[in-house]
Amino acid sequence: MSFNTFGHLFRVTTWGESHGPALGATVDGCPPGVALDAAMLQHWLDKRKPGQNRHTTQRREPDAVEILSGVYEGQTTGTPIQLMIRNVDQRSKDYGNILDTFRPGHADITYFQKYGLRDPRGGGRSSARETAARVAAGGVARAVLDALVPGLSITGYMVQMGPHEIDRARFDLAEIARNPFWVPDAQAAQDWAQVLDQIRKDGNSVGAVVEVVAAGAPAGLGAPVYAKLDTELAAAMMSINAVKGVEIGAGMGAAALTGVENADEIEMGADGPRYRSNKAGGILGGISTGQDIVVRFAVKPTSSIHTPRASVTRAGDATDVVTKGRHDPCVGIRAVPVGEAMMACVLLDHLLMQRAQTGQAGPVGRIGPAE
Amino acid sequence: MSFNTFGHLFRVTTWGESHGPALGATVDGCPPGVALDAAMLQHWLDKRKPGQNRHTTQRREPDAVEILSGVYEGQTTGTPIQLMIRNVDQRSKDYGNILDTFRPGHADITYFQKYGLRDPRGGGRSSARETAARVAAGGVARAVLDALVPGLSITGYMVQMGPHEIDRARFDLAEIARNPFWVPDAQAAQDWAQVLDQIRKDGNSVGAVVEVVAAGAPAGLGAPVYAKLDTELAAAMMSINAVKGVEIGAGMGAAALTGVENADEIEMGADGPRYRSNKAGGILGGISTGQDIVVRFAVKPTSSIHTPRASVTRAGDATDVVTKGRHDPCVGIRAVPVGEAMMACVLLDHLLMQRAQTGQAGPVGRIGPAE
Amino acid sequence: MSFNTFGHLFRVTTWGESHGPALGATVDGCPPGVALDAAMLQHWLDKRKPGQNRHTTQRREPDAVEILSGVYEGQTTGTPIQLMIRNVDQRSKDYGNILDTFRPGHADITYFQKYGLRDPRGGGRSSARETAARVAAGGVARAVLDALVPGLSITGYMVQMGPHEIDRARFDLAEIARNPFWVPDAQAAQDWAQVLDQIRKDGNSVGAVVEVVAAGAPAGLGAPVYAKLDTELAAAMMSINAVKGVEIGAGMGAAALTGVENADEIEMGADGPRYRSNKAGGILGGISTGQDIVVRFAVKPTSSIHTPRASVTRAGDATDVVTKGRHDPCVGIRAVPVGEAMMACVLLDHLLMQRAQTGQAGPVGRIGPAE
Amino acid sequence: MSFNTFGHLFRVTTWGESHGPALGATVDGCPPGVALDAAMLQHWLDKRKPGQNRHTTQRREPDAVEILSGVYEGQTTGTPIQLMIRNVDQRSKDYGNILDTFRPGHADITYFQKYGLRDPRGGGRSSARETAARVAAGGVARAVLDALVPGLSITGYMVQMGPHEIDRARFDLAEIARNPFWVPDAQAAQDWAQVLDQIRKDGNSVGAVVEVVAAGAPAGLGAPVYAKLDTELAAAMMSINAVKGVEIGAGMGAAALTGVENADEIEMGADGPRYRSNKAGGILGGISTGQDIVVRFAVKPTSSIHTPRASVTRAGDATDVVTKGRHDPCVGIRAVPVGEAMMACVLLDHLLMQRAQTGQAGPVGRIGPAE
């Protein structure tokens, strides 16, 4: 089957192919009475938009979003919100030569095997253009979260490009908006620009690690045991194109720790329990602790490269594939706003679930002296 | 909300607390006419059973499974299969002293915050005992897979304990069953035994990385875009207690690769396309390629340790917590059969989905010369 | 597929066959902190229990329910509640002679066609014994509703048996508990007893219409457009064995009305809008109005009768079928508590949904003078 | 919550308000490789289109459907199919005077209570215009059914308008397309035209009963116990605007029958078992028998009438409401193609489910002499 919906109560269904007439998202389950207009969503789409600098694909898409339903006089009505983005710069002839070959690292071959047909237009449904719809839907989630959880912030950034990691000692959130890599390290931004120019010149591409942090989320979110908050974040991030690994808090590195090192000790703060460290990434037993929620994901290098790679044709003949067309040398860059959008959707979904089961949009049990 | 079901068409709902009278799984959507009895499930449960050697908890649970419905005269009937495991060695007094304190690294605090109450009996629903139900359900999935995909094998093993990785040059599947660590490296098995004895003696614990490989799965499984095969595996593994990271194929390491290194080149084999490498972990665009499906997950060190850690009481007072009771010094060991069970359930679920949408339990599109 | 779960947020999965070792329900999504014990559920099960008078099957089942999980020290914990009922009086030899024939009006033939096998033990999964699990789950829903909506009452009763309707002029809720038919009309109770004695003597059976009314439910429940409150009630009631029709308010009779007759006029009452009639059955546009919610369903006559009916064997040979064994001459009687249970589950589910989306367990919009 | 999706494997999500810019349906889970274009869907939409004769609303909507995704070169691709219908003749000023009053029989009041706001544009989401999206989606289902079940036909028609029933002795399917009432009785068509003219002249409206029959559906469809085929049809039909009752086969009338009368006797036909009657409406135990599947539903009279009815304003003041604007005097007429569309979607969904669980798009168990 094709499962194009995510979320339990805040449900997002995306649709559309990279080179069809349009793509979009149907957002169902949105609370009513929340201020929303297209400009609020466009803000986030512009962040993801291609062609903004030399480090991303030169495809020119305005990615202008239209709200076709579910909003009346600037407010959500509680009915499904249809978000549509017209495809403009389709140039599908760029892809004409790949109709009968399979690009290594791409989904061409598996889509063909699964469905028995090719939609050669830029990857069809498997194209990362689908993530524009997620960003639009994430904008809706952010608008609702702003209303329900004042002070919640969701911030994504790159922490690694190829083998080059940021220096956490230089970490500065203010830098993120100042460079094309969304990297919180001014020096890394400079270095990476040179690295990526060379990669592109070589007809090659490179992977990345993106980190997304939610600060200010309440304790108590997460639905044990098969919709734990970390389970949902892992699924959300792994569903983004080209993602091959997901980590919460200490992540894969948790394997190398001892129990003494790993257990985040607890003390009382002014307004409740406070942790002395955050190996847990803000989640224990699948439920948020009230700390920063920290998720990281690895994005593989773009498979569309100008270097020939061995492959086969539909008829089974050997061939070399060179992917022409316009591509991102590091698709991880544009995954940053997508990761943020997924975080927003997951948090809102769990906030609604907690509200359903307990009547509270936050913790029920209170820790501290009796009042 | 509480979401205790996973799977789309092969749906498993687990229930039960670690120290209540019983726990189990309701398996819905199972194909009819498949040979099944309790002994077939017991085989897998025995693999996970505690107390089998000095490296796992000394809690003695027979973990005997009863089939209460859905099977008639040794065959599945297509109706829900209820699997029940009685808790026997409950000894909940072991946990008595923790009623009003929160164990660092444990879900005590978040469950209390979420639901407003404590079930102090060994972690209640958040205990890893819940995974016994998964292993039983996974046994049902394996029985069906055996009938539908002859030659499919699912094998889990440890590849890292604490900072100690296996040597891939010594990799030998036959070793897995010969040591208490399910490790495919005889030398590592010896070394780790010493390491773990010391860890236990120190009142400490250690993390691990488990790898699960499915060989012989058909191409074409996976439901784009929000139930991609890798998305589902990431969710399945992250839902296991104490898991903090999940990787497919090259995993987090994919970030450091270039596109040239990462793209698995394709050539024709005797019976279809064949890949020269498997950075993809057997999944492209969320759909299986027919290669080995490779997933790894990191298990954090057991939080129940004998070393005091700072925490707070329900009333907000500072306290030191020492977790007595019987615990696994490396809970990763017992996660191996759980990871296998989750892989089995996910693969079967997607096989049924492919069958629903296309009528085939495998690929529809064929690559090769016209016949 | 087999879909044995109903509900969106308050989710009930039933399992078990009529003549297997046990049957039950897994209740997921229950709010935490609600007082609950087995006796509270047993109260409702006893109402449905067979063999209580000469008008229902003489099968003797204590239908004693055990709570295996999700309740700790008399309170729900928010985790799945497993309810198990052991089958005791199985006597499956009663059914031995039907192994190779198909009973007209029964699901024997369609289950065989669907799944390719027979579970001859009393109808297996298609037996109305499955509804015992619903009644137990409904008991959980009632306990939660009592806590969330003080004053809500749910009452089911028979309004027709065979061609014999009650006289609404004699309608008296107090009569319901005084007769074996749950009929709110003392005279009908007397008349029907004679009718049913004759029916049973004739080796025949008879249909019935059951009405279930929820009084005191808040306005605002119902999820347009595919989980409207009436849609959900229709599905809930139609899923009960032997039900062939469902009506809301004026029901099928609405077809014969004009718009002038049908529109329930509105006036202001002391605490909000009040309707002068209730053709709508308490639901407009799929959302509750705050009036009584009124649903009726028709139960066909029991298909297990002592009168021979023409049928075929598995081999295709003609045969006459006489169903021996112990059966209800009017299965509609025992459908009354089942209809109540379904109403309770649906209302709670929608209360939680309204709470999720709007934060209110009732109406958001207020009608009346500004305060 | 708002639940705007129906179906398990063939999933339809509708969106859009009656007077917003557009409405539509996202169809997910469609099999790949099925021939489909907009003209095939337009055929069904034209059947439902308003303004075709004097008996339906004079609103002029071309209801032209665009396929925005999921179809490539005239074939479904297996990815989500987005169907969009632009609203053209919106004239929402017609509704201006109702902003602060609630129309009796309408969802104005309950939507306001549920969500806390009014979308006065022609009923917003609660308008029957939403059913255009269902008809489009039903067109997709029909295209797939044509490919999978040759010979299957789905036919809807009116059997009652107000108190006037058709004469079954005059039943003639060929008449359906010859009159504006989709009624299979030429005499009734003439009589009803006069009745309806008078009703309209009186500023009144009238209810109806619609029957939908699927002939040629295979045995074995239906998912016990909470997605029985009759359960799903009941939900599907009850979700249509203004429907107040649903019947399968003998329907509410089954209550008045005895078991001897009700049990459809079975004999062998040329190609399998054959029934001597069809009280069951083609469904036993929630599973199709292979007979005609017969469902009926009652549509209440249009609530928008020109006769004043007592109501209240948002401020709680008494008022009389006269609904101006263009309305159907018998909205049941236009429900006919909607009922057909719902039947098509439900049948396809269950065909895919049967295929998932058993690998067959029809019965597994065979009745007849061994071959």
Side-chain angles (χ1 to χ4, degrees):
Chain A
M1 302 307 302
S2 158
F3 274 86
N4 293 279
T5 300
F6 70 93
H8 304 277
L9 300 186
F10 183 79
R11 288 182 304 285
V12 176
T13 304
T14 68
W15 54 272
E17 284 81 42
S18 59
H19 289 65
L23 54 82
T26 313
V27 178
D28 199 8
C30 187
V34 176
L36 191 74
D37 61 27
M40 293 166 69
L41 306 181
Q42 199 60 49
H43 171 79
W44 304 109
L45 277 163
D46 288 349
K47 197 168 166 183
R48 180 198 161 282
K49 198 166 62 174
Q52 306 197 86
N53 57 61
R54 74 181 189 276
H55 300 299
T56 56
T57 174
Q58 295 309 300
R59 179 170 174 169
R60 301 278 169 187
E61 282 291 354
D63 278 358
V65 66
E66 289 176 67
I67 299 177
L68 295 181
S69 66
V71 176
Y72 179 64
E73 297 189 338
Q75 280 198 315
T76 59
T77 58
T79 60
I81 301 171
Q82 182 58 253
L83 306 171
M84 182 174 68
I85 299 166
R86 290 271 177 199
N87 286 322
V88 173
D89 182 8
Q90 304 174 14
R91 296 242 306 257
S92 61
K93 58 189 169 305
D94 283 2
Y95 299 93
N97 62 332
I98 59 163
L99 183 55
D100 284 317
T101 62
F102 301 107
R103 296 170 296 172
H106 261 288
D108 298 339
I109 189 166
T110 51
Y111 267 72
F112 172 70
Q113 288 176 306
K114 180 174 191 65
Y115 295 119
L117 40 83
R118 284 295 295 272
D119 178 351
R121 302 168 298 172
R125 182 72 182 148
S126 70
S127 163
R129 256 195 83 61
E130 184 268 345
T131 60
R134 304 186 189 208
V135 171
V140 178
R142 282 185 188 257
V144 181
L145 285 171
D146 281 350
L148 293 181
V149 191
L152 174 72
S153 72
I154 295 170
T155 313
Y157 41 84
M158 283 176 71
V159 294
Q160 183 180 337
M161 190 186 75
H164 312 285
E165 296 186 42
I166 63 164
D167 182 343
R168 294 265 172 182
R170 290 192 303 248
F171 192 100
D172 179 2
L173 282 175
E175 284 300 324
I176 294 175
R178 294 191 192 122
N179 63 70
F181 301 102
W182 315 110
V183 61
D185 172 346
Q187 183 61 49
Q190 284 190 26
D191 300 345
W192 294 7
Q194 287 184 296
V195 170
L196 201 57
D197 283 340
Q198 188 59 46
I199 288 281
R200 198 176 53 245
K201 208 173 300 172
D202 295 346
N204 208 340
S205 63
V206 73
V209 176
V210 173
E211 184 168 285
V212 181
V213 173
L221 306 185
V225 296
Y226 298 110
K228 288 173 172 167
L229 191 57
D230 38 8
T231 299
E232 304 268 279
L233 289 171
M237 301 311 170
M238 195 63 98
S239 76
I240 301 173
N241 308 56
V243 172
K244 300 303 286 184
V246 182
E247 302 185 316
I248 306 292
M252 297 304 294
L257 300 177
T258 65
V260 171
E261 292 162 342
N262 183 66
D264 301 310
E265 292 186 296
I266 314 174
E267 61 192 23
M268 279 305 285
D271 53 356
R274 198 164 57 190
Y275 296 81
R276 291 179 183 162
S277 55
N278 192 9
K279 295 289 197 308
I283 301 173
L284 284 173
I287 302 170
S288 64
T289 62
Q291 295 174 275
D292 283 1
I293 297 169
V294 183
V295 59
R296 267 183 313 286
F297 55 93
V299 184
K300 73 179 186 183
T302 319
S303 297
S304 300
I305 49 177
H306 292 215
T307 308
R309 305 301 293 156
S311 187
V312 297
T313 67
R314 205 156 140 173
D317 298 320
T319 185
D320 270 353
V321 172
V322 177
T323 311
K324 301 232 179 64
R326 303 149 298 170
H327 299 288
D328 292 279
C330 176
V331 77
I333 299 173
R334 290 176 56 216
V336 171
V338 183
E340 290 177 339
M342 298 309 283
M343 172 72 87
C345 291
V346 169
L347 287 182
L348 176 56
D349 196 29
H350 280 271
L351 209 87
L352 299 183
M353 286 198 270
Q354 174 71 349
R355 196 154 81 166
Q357 193 173 15
T358 70
Q360 305 296 324
V364 175
R366 190 183 154 278
I367 297 168
E371 280 167 341
Chain B
M1 301 310 302
S2 158
F3 275 87
N4 293 279
T5 299
F6 70 94
H8 304 278
L9 300 186
F10 183 80
R11 287 182 305 286
V12 176
T13 304
T14 68
W15 55 272
E17 283 80 43
S18 58
H19 288 65
L23 54 83
T26 314
V27 178
D28 198 9
C30 186
V34 175
L36 191 76
D37 61 26
M40 293 166 70
L41 306 181
Q42 198 61 49
H43 171 78
W44 303 109
L45 277 161
D46 288 348
K47 197 169 165 183
R48 180 199 159 281
K49 199 167 62 175
Q52 305 196 86
N53 57 62
R54 73 181 188 277
H55 300 300
T56 57
T57 175
Q58 294 309 299
R59 180 172 175 168
R60 301 278 168 188
E61 284 290 354
D63 278 356
V65 65
E66 290 176 66
I67 299 177
L68 296 180
S69 65
V71 176
Y72 179 64
E73 297 189 338
Q75 279 197 314
T76 60
T77 57
T79 61
I81 302 171
Q82 182 59 253
L83 306 170
M84 182 173 69
I85 299 166
R86 292 270 176 199
N87 286 322
V88 173
D89 183 8
Q90 306 173 12
R91 295 244 303 260
S92 60
K93 57 188 171 301
D94 282 1
Y95 298 93
N97 62 332
I98 59 161
L99 182 56
D100 284 317
T101 62
F102 300 107
R103 296 170 296 171
H106 260 288
D108 298 339
I109 190 166
T110 52
Y111 267 73
F112 172 70
Q113 288 177 306
K114 181 173 190 64
Y115 296 117
L117 40 83
R118 284 295 296 273
D119 178 351
R121 301 167 298 173
R125 182 71 181 148
S126 70
S127 163
R129 258 195 82 59
E130 184 269 343
T131 59
R134 305 185 188 208
V135 172
V140 178
R142 282 185 188 257
V144 181
L145 284 170
D146 280 351
L148 293 181
V149 191
L152 174 72
S153 70
I154 294 171
T155 313
Y157 42 84
M158 282 176 72
V159 294
Q160 183 180 336
M161 191 187 74
H164 312 284
E165 296 187 42
I166 63 165
D167 181 342
R168 294 265 173 183
R170 290 192 302 250
F171 192 101
D172 180 2
L173 282 175
E175 284 299 324
I176 294 176
R178 293 192 193 122
N179 63 69
F181 301 103
W182 316 109
V183 61
D185 171 348
Q187 184 61 50
Q190 285 190 26
D191 299 344
W192 294 6
Q194 288 185 295
V195 170
L196 202 57
D197 283 341
Q198 188 59 47
I199 287 281
R200 199 176 51 246
K201 207 173 301 172
D202 295 346
N204 208 341
S205 63
V206 73
V209 176
V210 172
E211 185 167 284
V212 181
V213 174
L221 306 185
V225 294
Y226 298 110
K228 289 172 171 168
L229 192 56
D230 37 8
T231 298
E232 305 267 278
L233 289 171
M237 301 311 171
M238 194 63 97
S239 77
I240 301 173
N241 307 54
V243 172
K244 300 303 286 183
V246 182
E247 301 185 315
I248 305 293
M252 297 304 294
L257 302 176
T258 65
V260 171
E261 293 161 342
N262 183 68
D264 302 311
E265 292 186 298
I266 314 173
E267 60 192 23
M268 280 304 286
D271 52 356
R274 195 163 60 189
Y275 296 82
R276 292 180 183 162
S277 54
N278 192 8
K279 295 289 196 306
I283 300 173
L284 284 173
I287 303 169
S288 63
T289 61
Q291 294 173 275
D292 282 2
I293 297 170
V294 183
V295 58
R296 268 183 312 287
F297 54 92
V299 184
K300 72 178 185 183
T302 318
S303 297
S304 301
I305 49 177
H306 291 215
T307 308
R309 304 302 292 156
S311 187
V312 297
T313 67
R314 206 157 142 172
D317 298 319
T319 185
D320 269 353
V321 172
V322 177
T323 311
K324 302 231 179 63
R326 303 149 297 170
H327 298 288
D328 292 279
C330 177
V331 77
I333 299 173
R334 291 176 54 217
V336 171
V338 184
E340 291 177 338
M342 298 309 282
M343 173 70 88
C345 290
V346 169
L347 287 183
L348 175 56
D349 196 29
H350 280 271
L351 209 86
L352 300 183
M353 287 198 269
Q354 176 70 350
R355 194 153 81 166
Q357 193 173 16
T358 69
Q360 304 296 324
V364 176
R366 191 184 153 277
I367 296 167
E371 278 166 344
Chain C
M1 303 306 304
S2 157
F3 275 87
N4 292 280
T5 300
F6 69 94
H8 304 277
L9 300 186
F10 183 80
R11 286 183 305 286
V12 176
T13 304
T14 67
W15 54 272
E17 282 81 42
S18 59
H19 288 65
L23 54 82
T26 314
V27 178
D28 199 8
C30 186
V34 176
L36 191 75
D37 61 26
M40 293 165 70
L41 306 180
Q42 198 61 48
H43 171 79
W44 304 108
L45 277 161
D46 288 349
K47 198 168 166 183
R48 180 198 161 282
K49 199 166 62 175
Q52 305 197 87
N53 57 62
R54 73 182 188 275
H55 300 299
T56 56
T57 175
Q58 294 310 300
R59 179 172 175 168
R60 300 279 168 188
E61 283 290 354
D63 277 357
V65 65
E66 290 176 66
I67 299 177
L68 296 180
S69 65
V71 176
Y72 179 65
E73 296 188 340
Q75 279 197 314
T76 60
T77 58
T79 60
I81 301 170
Q82 182 59 253
L83 306 170
M84 183 173 69
I85 299 166
R86 292 270 176 200
N87 286 322
V88 173
D89 183 8
Q90 305 174 12
R91 297 241 305 258
S92 60
K93 58 189 170 302
D94 283 2
Y95 299 92
N97 61 330
I98 60 163
L99 182 56
D100 283 316
T101 62
F102 301 107
R103 296 171 294 171
H106 261 286
D108 298 339
I109 190 166
T110 52
Y111 267 72
F112 172 69
Q113 288 176 307
K114 181 174 191 64
Y115 296 118
L117 39 83
R118 284 294 297 272
D119 177 352
R121 300 168 298 172
R125 181 71 182 149
S126 71
S127 163
R129 256 196 82 61
E130 184 269 343
T131 59
R134 304 185 190 211
V135 171
V140 178
R142 282 186 187 256
V144 180
L145 285 170
D146 280 350
L148 293 180
V149 191
L152 174 72
S153 71
I154 294 170
T155 313
Y157 41 86
M158 282 177 71
V159 294
Q160 183 181 337
M161 191 186 74
H164 312 285
E165 296 187 42
I166 63 166
D167 182 342
R168 294 264 173 184
R170 290 191 302 249
F171 192 100
D172 179 2
L173 282 175
E175 285 299 324
I176 295 176
R178 294 192 193 121
N179 63 70
F181 301 103
W182 316 111
V183 62
D185 172 346
Q187 184 61 49
Q190 284 190 26
D191 299 344
W192 294 7
Q194 289 185 295
V195 170
L196 202 57
D197 283 340
Q198 189 60 45
I199 287 281
R200 199 176 51 245
K201 206 173 300 172
D202 295 345
N204 208 340
S205 63
V206 73
V209 175
V210 173
E211 184 167 284
V212 181
V213 174
L221 306 185
V225 294
Y226 297 110
K228 287 172 172 168
L229 191 56
D230 38 8
T231 299
E232 304 267 278
L233 289 170
M237 302 311 171
M238 195 64 97
S239 75
I240 300 172
N241 308 53
V243 172
K244 299 303 285 183
V246 182
E247 301 184 315
I248 306 292
M252 296 305 292
L257 300 177
T258 65
V260 171
E261 294 161 342
N262 183 67
D264 302 311
E265 292 185 296
I266 314 174
E267 61 192 23
M268 279 304 286
D271 53 355
R274 197 162 59 188
Y275 296 81
R276 291 180 184 162
S277 54
N278 191 9
K279 296 288 195 308
I283 301 174
L284 285 173
I287 302 170
S288 64
T289 62
Q291 293 172 276
D292 282 2
I293 297 169
V294 183
V295 59
R296 268 183 314 285
F297 55 93
V299 184
K300 71 179 186 184
T302 318
S303 297
S304 300
I305 50 178
H306 292 215
T307 308
R309 305 302 292 156
S311 185
V312 297
T313 67
R314 205 156 141 173
D317 297 320
T319 184
D320 269 352
V321 173
V322 176
T323 311
K324 303 232 179 62
R326 303 150 298 171
H327 298 287
D328 292 279
C330 177
V331 77
I333 299 173
R334 289 176 55 217
V336 171
V338 183
E340 290 177 338
M342 298 309 281
M343 174 70 89
C345 290
V346 169
L347 287 182
L348 175 56
D349 197 29
H350 279 271
L351 209 86
L352 300 183
M353 287 198 269
Q354 175 70 348
R355 195 154 80 166
Q357 192 172 17
T358 69
Q360 305 296 324
V364 175
R366 190 183 154 278
I367 296 167
E371 277 167 344
Chain D
M1 301 308 302
S2 157
F3 275 87
N4 292 279
T5 299
F6 70 93
H8 303 278
L9 300 186
F10 183 79
R11 286 182 304 286
V12 176
T13 304
T14 68
W15 54 271
E17 283 80 42
S18 58
H19 287 66
L23 54 82
T26 314
V27 178
D28 199 9
C30 186
V34 176
L36 191 75
D37 61 26
M40 292 166 69
L41 307 181
Q42 198 61 49
H43 171 78
W44 304 109
L45 277 162
D46 288 349
K47 198 168 166 184
R48 180 199 161 280
K49 198 166 62 174
Q52 305 196 90
N53 57 62
R54 72 181 188 279
H55 300 299
T56 57
T57 175
Q58 294 310 299
R59 178 173 176 168
R60 300 279 169 188
E61 285 289 354
D63 278 357
V65 65
E66 290 175 67
I67 299 178
L68 296 181
S69 66
V71 176
Y72 179 64
E73 296 188 339
Q75 279 198 314
T76 60
T77 59
T79 60
I81 301 171
Q82 182 59 254
L83 306 170
M84 182 172 69
I85 298 166
R86 291 270 177 199
N87 285 322
V88 173
D89 183 8
Q90 305 174 12
R91 294 241 307 257
S92 61
K93 57 188 171 303
D94 282 3
Y95 298 93
N97 63 332
I98 59 162
L99 184 55
D100 284 315
T101 62
F102 302 107
R103 296 171 295 172
H106 261 287
D108 298 339
I109 189 166
T110 51
Y111 267 72
F112 172 70
Q113 287 177 307
K114 181 174 189 64
Y115 296 119
L117 38 84
R118 285 294 296 273
D119 178 351
R121 301 167 300 172
R125 182 71 181 149
S126 70
S127 163
R129 256 195 83 60
E130 184 269 343
T131 59
R134 305 185 189 209
V135 172
V140 177
R142 282 185 188 257
V144 181
L145 285 170
D146 280 350
L148 294 180
V149 191
L152 173 72
S153 72
I154 295 171
T155 313
Y157 42 84
M158 282 176 71
V159 293
Q160 183 180 338
M161 191 186 74
H164 312 286
E165 297 186 42
I166 64 165
D167 181 343
R168 295 263 172 185
R170 289 193 301 250
F171 193 99
D172 179 1
L173 282 175
E175 284 300 324
I176 294 175
R178 294 192 194 122
N179 63 70
F181 300 102
W182 316 110
V183 60
D185 172 347
Q187 184 61 50
Q190 284 190 26
D191 300 344
W192 294 6
Q194 289 185 295
V195 170
L196 201 57
D197 283 340
Q198 188 60 46
I199 287 281
R200 199 176 52 245
K201 208 173 300 172
D202 296 345
N204 209 340
S205 63
V206 74
V209 175
V210 173
E211 185 167 285
V212 181
V213 174
L221 306 185
V225 295
Y226 297 112
K228 287 172 172 168
L229 191 56
D230 38 8
T231 299
E232 304 268 277
L233 288 171
M237 301 311 171
M238 194 63 97
S239 76
I240 300 173
N241 308 55
V243 172
K244 300 303 286 182
V246 182
E247 302 185 315
I248 305 292
M252 297 303 295
L257 300 176
T258 65
V260 171
E261 293 161 341
N262 183 67
D264 302 310
E265 292 186 298
I266 314 174
E267 60 191 23
M268 280 304 285
D271 52 357
R274 197 164 58 189
Y275 296 81
R276 291 179 183 163
S277 54
N278 191 8
K279 295 288 197 308
I283 301 174
L284 284 173
I287 302 170
S288 63
T289 61
Q291 294 173 276
D292 282 2
I293 297 169
V294 182
V295 58
R296 267 183 315 284
F297 54 93
V299 184
K300 72 179 185 184
T302 319
S303 298
S304 300
I305 49 178
H306 291 216
T307 308
R309 305 302 291 157
S311 185
V312 296
T313 67
R314 204 157 142 172
D317 297 320
T319 185
D320 269 354
V321 172
V322 177
T323 311
K324 302 230 178 65
R326 304 149 299 171
H327 298 288
D328 292 279
C330 177
V331 78
I333 300 173
R334 291 175 55 216
V336 171
V338 183
E340 291 177 338
M342 298 310 283
M343 173 71 88
C345 290
V346 169
L347 287 182
L348 175 56
D349 197 29
H350 279 271
L351 209 86
L352 299 183
M353 287 199 271
Q354 175 70 349
R355 194 155 81 166
Q357 192 173 15
T358 69
Q360 304 296 324
V364 176
R366 192 184 153 279
I367 297 167
E371 280 167 341

